[in-house]
Amino acid sequence: MSLDRLMLIVVAVLGSLMALGWVTGIVTAAVQVSPLLGLFGLCVVGFAGYIIYRVIAERLGNPDDDKYDRVEK
């Protein structure tokens, strides 16, 4: 893996975490709930986002799933 790609991944992950934290802070302040509950929600949303990302990456990167692309119509 090249250094450029690694840095792009790091910047993207940190940027998305910062944006998610900002949105969570705004929502937490708007509904006046405990910051600990907001942190828990941030963790849950982050974990769900990671799972969705991994599923999409696996589906796009797996050549065995492309059997219908080779079928003649």
Side-chain angles (χ1 to χ4, degrees), residues 4-71:
D4 293 341
R5 188 169 185 184
L6 180 64
M7 288 309 294
L8 179 63
I9 291 170
V10 168
V11 168
V13 167
L14 288 177
S16 63
L17 283 174
M18 288 171 52
L20 190 59
W22 180 71
V23 169
T24 303
I26 295 285
V27 170
T28 302
V31 295
Q32 296 180 355
V33 295
S34 166
L36 191 59
L37 185 61
L39 183 62
F40 175 72
L42 176 68
C43 292
V44 169
V45 170
F47 185 66
Y50 175 74
I51 290 174
I52 291 169
Y53 168 75
R54 292 297 300 166
V55 167
I56 291 172
E58 175 68 25
R59 296 286 294 161
L60 292 176
N62 191 355
D64 294 336
D65 288 337
D66 296 335
K67 71 177 189 175
Y68 293 111
D69 292 342
R70 295 185 295 268
V71 174

